[in-house]
Structures are given as structure tokens and as C-alpha cells.
Amino acid sequence: MTESILKDRELPDLTNDEISRYSRHLLLPEIGVEGQKRLKAAKVLLVGTGGLGAPLALYLAAAGVGTLGIVDFDVVEESNLQRQVIHSTRDVGRPKVASAKDRIKGINPHINVITYNTMLTSANALDIIKDYDIVADGTDNYQTRYLVNDACVLLGKPNVYGSIFQFEGQASVFYAKEGPCYRCLYPEPPPPGLVPSCAEGGVVGVLPGIVGCIQANETIKLIVGSTEYSNNTACSLIGKLLLFDAWKMSFRTLKLDKDTQCPICGKTPSIHELIDYEQFCGLKKQADEEPVEIITAKELKARMDAGDSLQIIDIREPHERAIAKFPNAKPIPLGQMARRVDEFDDKIDSVFICKIGQRSVFAIRALREAGYAGRLLNLKDGFNAWAREVDTSLPVY
Ligand SMILES: [Zn+2]
């Protein structure tokens, strides 16, 4: 076996305990003692311990990857438990990195776990990633995905990528030394709000399990190495994009080429350091953009109790309204907003409701663009804020 990511590394010995624990790996010619020693020597950074990070951490720990770094700034929420199988019901409210570390140690006490209870940013990414051999990206947003990509290209590390939405998943290995990077595939992020997140669009719980396991498998192969890997990467996802549809149960693999014009890994790169990824992804307010006025759930309740006349517009989808209704709200789907502008009375305030207060901003912008002159208010943090702060008999979803 040749061409492991760790090919020049001095390898540790395996103890008798470790030989027993990993015997099913040792019996595989593709892994064997040498491959298992490489796994023990390897350092893998997991960005995110959510849906994808959970199976990644569980399987890489079980496989004996010697050092696992885990980065996450979130705490465990009840709505995570449907898919983030590394966390337990009793962990709700704990930092995800703490909960994940406990579980990893429970599976394999031989593993060294390093936790970063922080958001990965342009300020800390190079510093955190530089000590690792491989990064496995389990993030759920574009700004972190581009950040991870760029940091890995700049540091020469492979980036084992996965992403999920509803029933569809993608996986690849972006390794600029050997093939394309994420920017070669997606030079620009989509406009903000165009692609809903899993928090808004949903995701079947098994999907990140499958995609995260594919990422874990790719990570193990990069560490162990193989003859095929040295021969034009035949059995790795370098230079390939795997598309998986859990509803149709189909796998497709597309060939990916390196973009010679890629701004970070092409022939004449224009990016030589990390940039402002919020700005790159269009998440910063433009200077000429009129700000959207917000109203909190408690302020809205007070106005409703005082008998103010308000137009409350629920822009959520019918299947979301089936989960829980908002009191006295008129449903108007986002796509119909501009052409139903005549249904609004511009002498009274309108309040817009969605699940978490993000899609409703687009409803307000659509009405403004349609020339509506009345006052438009966005319910801060959406229906879920109302369910948390005002009417706790309603579910948070
Ligand atoms: Zn590239």
C-alpha cells in the first residue's frame, strides 16, 4: 500500500488491547497492521457535530483514528435528536462538543479528543486546521463551507465534504493537490435565502447518517492509502461528486474536473488568504439596503392585547401550518406575496410570520419591490419565538 496521507509519518505501535479491538481491520489486506497504525497516528478535524458530524465522530472513533478534533459552538436541542445520534436526550442544553466527547470516549477510550467550543471563522480556521491531517466538513451553511474549503486549499489538506437537504445528499473529497476543490464545483454561493436550510426545509433523519458514514469511509481510505489511490484516485471520491437520493434510493457519481480558472486552486489564483465569508455569501447588509423593521413576540402580544388593528401574515407552507397555527393570521405563501399586494391595507401595520424569522424578510422585500407603502414588521425569530416566549402551549419545531 502506498500514498497514504500519512505516508512519511513515523507510526506508533499497537498494544495487545488495540490488536484485539481492531482485529476485523487487521484482517483486511487493504488496512492491516500498517493501516491501523496510520489510523492511530492520524489527526482528523470534524467541523460540526450535527447530523453529519455525529456518524463521522462515532465511526472514526470506533475505527481508531488517534486524534479527533471537534469544532462546534452549538448546544444540543431537542430538534437535533431526530438525526444527531451522537447526542442523547439527557444532553439537551449541553454544548455539543462536550456531549460528543463523552460519547466518543465511551466508544473508544484510546482516542485523544480535542474540543473547540467555538465557531470556525476566518480568524481562527488556519490556526485550528493546521495541526490536522484531514478535515471532514459537516457544516450546514455556505459561509463555513467556503471557509473550510479555502483554509484546506491554503494549507494543502484534504477536505472530506458532505451536505444534505430533505432527501438528497452529496459527498466528495476536495483535495487541491490531486483534484478539484469546492470552488471548482461551486464558484459562487447561491443568493442568500434562495436555498432553504434543513431548519427550514427539513431533512429525513437517516440521510445525514448515510452521508456522514460515506465521509467517514473516505476519511479512513485517505489515511490508510491504497494502490488505487496512487493510481489516479480510482477508489476515492477525489475528482468525483456522489449524489444520493434517499427517497428514490439512487446513487449517481459525476466526474469533477479541476477548474484551471479557480480563484484559489487554479493556475493563477487570486485568493491567497481567508476572506470575509459572510460578505462573500451576501449575508451582510448592503449599504443601500433599507433595513427591515422587527417586532418581538412579546411586543406583538402586547399590541394584540391592546386591540391594535394589525394584519398578521403567515407565510409558512401548508404543511408547516399543519404543525401549528398562528392565531388570527392570514396565510399568504411567499411566492404569491407581490401579486396579492391589493389584499393589504396600507393604513395599518402588517406583521410577517415564518418559522424562524428569515423567510419573512423576503416577503417584506417582495412587497416593497411591488411598491407597497404601508408599514411592514418582521416577527423576530418567527413562530418559534412566539411558542417559546408567549404561548408555551404551542410546539417549537
Ligand atoms: Zn478550485
Side-chain angles (χ1 to χ4, degrees):
M1 290 200 294
T2 54
E3 289 303 292
S4 153
I5 283 285
L6 278 73
K7 62 180 185 298
D8 301 321
R9 192 77 48 91
E10 200 173 311
L11 297 177
D13 285 330
L14 300 177
T15 64
N16 283 349
D17 276 355
E18 287 170 328
I19 288 170
S20 302
R21 176 181 284 262
Y22 305 124
S23 72
R24 302 302 187 273
H25 274 169
L26 306 182
L27 292 168
L28 294 169
E30 290 83 354
I31 299 182
V33 172
E34 188 80 358
Q36 193 63 47
K37 286 180 176 178
R38 285 179 174 157
L39 288 167
K40 184 174 177 179
K43 296 178 169 185
V44 176
L45 182 72
L46 308 179
V47 184
T49 49
L52 296 168
L56 267 163
L58 295 173
Y59 276 101
L60 293 180
V65 170
T67 301
L68 284 177
I70 46 179
V71 194
D72 208 313
F73 63 94
D74 252 341
V75 295
V76 180
E77 291 180 33
E78 201 157 18
S79 65
N80 300 151
L81 301 174
Q82 163 254 19
R83 64 202 175 283
Q84 300 181 13
V85 293
I86 199 165
H87 311 297
S88 303
T89 303
R90 64 169 182 272
D91 296 317
V92 170
R94 290 181 76 197
K96 284 188 178 176
V97 291
S99 159
K101 182 176 180 175
D102 283 355
R103 189 72 197 286
I104 291 169
K105 286 285 188 184
I107 291 171
N108 193 342
H110 302 293
I111 303 288
N112 176 27
V113 183
I114 301 168
T115 59
Y116 306 87
N117 190 11
T118 181
M119 186 186 278
L120 198 71
T121 66
S122 298
N124 62 19
L126 293 175
D127 217 34
I128 292 174
I129 293 173
K130 71 174 171 16
D131 295 329
Y132 291 88
D133 301 304
I134 299 172
V135 178
D137 180 8
T139 52
D140 58 357
N141 64 77
Y142 288 97
Q143 64 272 29
T144 315
R145 209 167 279 152
Y146 280 97
L147 166 66
V148 168
N149 179 72
D150 290 1
C152 285
V153 174
L154 293 172
L155 292 167
K157 314 270 184 192
N159 166 19
V160 182
Y161 157 80
S163 77
I164 49 166
F165 181 64
Q166 295 187 334
F167 289 93
E168 290 170 30
Q170 299 187 350
S172 187
V173 176
F174 297 117
Y175 190 26
K177 283 183 184 172
E178 310 258 347
C181 81
Y182 183 71
R183 280 180 188 267
C184 295
L185 174 62
Y186 298 114
E188 298 278 337
L194 188 72
V195 181
S197 64
C198 289
E200 293 179 306
V203 61
V204 63
V206 180
L207 177 65
I210 294 169
V211 175
C213 282
I214 289 168
Q215 288 177 274
N217 189 45
E218 289 303 301
T219 304
I220 289 168
K221 288 190 295 181
L222 287 171
I223 296 166
V224 170
S226 71
T227 46
E228 286 85 350
Y229 173 53
S230 65
N231 276 330
N232 75 35
T233 69
C235 64
S236 138
L237 280 179
I238 294 174
K240 292 177 211 160
L241 181 68
L242 179 72
L243 301 173
F244 171 59
D245 187 318
W247 191 251
K248 296 178 188 151
M249 189 40 71
S250 70
F251 284 92
R252 283 194 304 150
T253 310
L254 308 179
K255 192 174 172 299
L256 292 183
D257 287 322
K258 198 174 177 81
D259 177 5
T260 53
Q261 305 297 313
C262 174
I264 193 156
C265 84
K267 282 191 178 133
T268 50
S270 56
I271 300 171
H272 304 283
E273 57 188 14
L274 299 179
I275 59 171
D276 182 336
Y277 293 89
E278 295 216 328
Q279 185 160 28
F280 178 63
C281 293
L283 299 171
K284 286 198 170 157
K285 218 159 26 79
Q286 306 292 317
D288 57 347
E289 196 172 84
E290 207 183 321
V292 169
E293 205 176 343
I294 56 165
I295 183 167
T296 66
K298 285 189 173 140
E299 287 164 356
L300 176 58
K301 174 74 164 75
R303 289 193 63 175
M304 289 165 79
D305 288 349
D308 276 11
S309 61
L310 290 167
Q311 308 174 96
I312 300 175
I313 311 297
D314 188 345
I315 69 138
R316 295 176 304 149
E317 300 294 323
H319 61 267
E320 291 183 85
R321 282 186 274 111
I323 299 170
K325 298 246 182 312
F326 196 90
N328 305 319
K330 174 174 177 171
I332 301 183
L334 188 52
Q336 297 177 13
M337 204 57 66
R339 74 181 121 98
R340 291 176 66 174
V341 63
D342 294 345
E343 295 177 35
F344 289 80
D345 177 352
D346 63 9
K347 287 178 237 17
I348 56 176
D349 292 358
S350 303
V351 179
F352 291 80
I353 315 286
C354 69
K355 182 192 166 198
I356 53 175
Q358 289 184 352
R359 280 170 296 166
S360 42
V361 171
F362 292 93
I364 290 174
R365 296 224 169 102
L367 278 178
R368 274 193 192 146
E369 277 168 29
Y372 182 70
R375 189 175 181 211
L376 302 168
L377 298 164
N378 188 35
L379 177 64
K380 185 172 185 286
D381 302 326
F383 178 92
N384 279 351
W386 182 267
R388 269 191 215 103
E389 294 163 24
V390 173
D391 184 354
T392 51
S393 73
L394 292 172
V396 172
Y397 69 97

